[in-house]
Amino acid sequence: MDGMQMMDDSEHDYMAQEEDWDRTGLLDPAWERQQKKTFTAWCNSHLRKAGTQVEDICEDFRNGLKLMLLLEVISGEHLSRPERGKMRFHKIANVNKALEFINEKGVKLVSIGAEEIVDGNLKMTLGMIWTIILRFAIQDISVEESSAKEGLLLWCQRKTAPYKNVNVQNFHTSWKDGLAFCALIHRHRPELIDYDKLRKDDPLTNLQTAFEVAEKYLDIPQMLDAQELVDLPYPDEKSVMTYVSCFYHAFADQKPAETAANRIVKALKVNQDNERLMDEYERLASDLLEWINNKKPWLEDRTTDNTMDGVQKQLDNFRDYRRHQKPPKAEDKGHLEAAYNTLQTKLRLSNRPAFCPQNGILVQDVQNAWNGLEEAEKGYEEWLLSEMRRLERLDHLAKKFYHKAKIHEAWTAGKVDMLEDDDYKSCSLQELKALKKKHEAFESDLAAHQDRVEQIVQIAQELYELEHHDSMKIRDRCDNICSEWSCLGDATQKRRFNLENMEQILESIEQQHLEFAKRAAPFNNWMDGAMEDLEDMFIVHTIKEIKDLITAHDSFKQTLPDARQEKDGILSILANIKKVQEQYNLPDDVMINAYSSINAEELEGKWTRVCELVPQRDQSLQGELSKQQNHDRLRSQFAVLANELGPWIKDKTQEIATVAMDLSGTLEHVVNQLKEFQHRMDAYKPKMDELEGYNQAMQEALVFDNHLTAYTMEHLRVGWEHLKTTVALTINEVENQILMRDAKGLTKDQMNEYRNSFQHFDRVYFAVSYLVPVVS
């Protein structure tokens, strides 16, 4: 046990040393060339057993197929099923399977990955093959408790020890002269080489002789180049070890020919063998026919679950059947036929009757059943491949359907909600026009997506007709897409109708706003002017003036019905807009008029104010009319008396002057006349007082003019006072004259002369002139 442990440890150390040595050795280009040639020949020596070979190990091992085949040949084991695809990942998978197999054999791979082999990395490929050679050609060599390299070297030393000029100490320079190769061959097959004729100074001839003999008689291919081996001062050790290991395996398994005498087989033994062969045939035939009968229904079954995985599983089972189940049965069939032929031969040689199997297990029956099995195999394989191609196409169509459906559903997501949104109700006209343009663009996009929907429907229909395993699910999804597409189309048409309808509504509102602005502005100005006129203070002095104002006001009142109708028409525009707003649930913003700042409240307020001012104006005008009528009555009353008193005062003043200047009468008569004037003035005094009352009333009524008379109260008052004073003064003067006449006894003529001498009566003239009417 300890010895085996030491051997394993030494082998592990040796493999580790070889790996370290490998990384430095590959730096020499000459060694690379030598290794490539040697390793290629070594690989082909095994691959030819499988009927193939490699030309370039870097290229031919890249897909991993021949590499896996090489490992199966040299190990005698089966690797897992290789990938047959030509993609890079298929190749990497195959190479990884080979590397995992090597690793399972206890060989640790250092710095060698599948990607480098697939990429054709020469150094990595050579390192990998060297690892395989170590594991399967060198590692198991064991000589006197020495293994692997040391064991091979010891074996060479033992075999070449008797030969002169041969001293094997290594696997490079010890082999340059070719004598070591020739000694190995001569030691085991002396008839192939005349060793005594070889010369140490002719290494090229020695090498060529050894290589040719080994290839021709020992079935060892020429792995080294004789000229290159001679020229290199330090041949590649791995190449030499590989080639020498072939000699070891060629000679080490040969055993000395053993000669033995032919023994006579006893008759009983022959009979027993014959019985055994008969039983074996019947058993093999029955078992084989039973196996064929059991397999044929399976191979004739054409049912599948319609999935790629299911068919792939059936194909894998079929390949497993071809690879693992059928070969043993084919061997059994071969054994059956061989046993049958052997048995018949033995029976014939023993002069025994020929063996006749029972009906149903004849050789021909077995062959016919086998032929039927192979026909069923062929049909099953063709059906599986056809089904695989069909399902591949269906899977491709299904993936295409799901891809297009996913794109379509992503595009339609939220579109119905978007189309059913009533955002257009809160838009202005300009914003609505923008929404309409956006909707037109969406409709164009919708039309472009019609082709995708038709493609989805077509693919779904095809999958349904071809009975895809998910056809019902796909059909349901297709129906949902079609239903949603129909809803989307309806929603699109409805939104277009709503947008166009709302556009007409907003345009109508816009036109009504514009009409309102055109009508409201002049009407508002008219009401402003009307209110200004109705509130305007007027000053009149005559009835004519006030009547003119009343006439103008009456004309204004006649326009009020038309104005009311215009006002109602203007407000009806706003009422109509309000009605539309409430009908379509529009936002309050639609009531905002961009063309005018006038609103219904302002118009109603001003109209109400106008209606309030009209009767107020009527009242004011009528009051003023009454006032002016009263003024005219006062003027008339004043004028009647003034026109009477003014001429009377004037006449009386002239009469007084006449009387006073009259020299024909007596002074007493003048005095009497003057006193008569006093009595008359006293009689007119009430009228004077009445006139004063009328004047006072006019003053209180602020009537300062009177077109009915030229006399003013001031003039009349002054004239009256002057008349009154003149009468009194004249009476007093005349009386004084009487007294002076009586006192002095003057005559009438003297008195007249005296009277003429005074200018007293000039004042009387002044008084009379003062009473002349003043025409204003």
Side-chain angles (χ1 to χ4, degrees), residues 453-508:
V453 176
E454 293 175 356
Q455 292 174 6
I456 290 172
V457 172
Q458 182 180 359
I459 293 172
Q461 182 63 27
E462 187 173 359
L463 288 170
Y464 180 76
E465 292 174 355
L466 295 176
E467 299 180 353
H468 186 266
H469 65 93
D470 270 348
S471 60
M472 298 306 299
K473 178 180 177 183
I474 288 173
R475 191 172 187 178
D476 291 342
R477 188 169 180 181
C478 180
D479 291 342
N480 292 335
I481 289 174
C482 291
S483 176
E484 184 183 26
W485 185 254
S486 178
C487 293
L488 197 60
D490 294 342
T492 301
Q493 294 296 326
K494 183 178 179 181
R495 184 169 177 85
R496 167 172 275 280
F497 172 79
N498 290 336
L499 290 175
E500 291 176 347
N501 185 48
M502 185 55 63
E503 183 181 26
Q504 293 176 357
I505 292 171
L506 292 182
E507 285 180 345
S508 173

Side-chain angles (χ1 to χ4, degrees), residues 332-344:
D332 289 346
K333 179 176 175 291
H335 293 160
L336 178 69
E337 293 172 352
Y340 181 80
N341 294 330
T342 301
L343 177 60
Q344 298 293 24

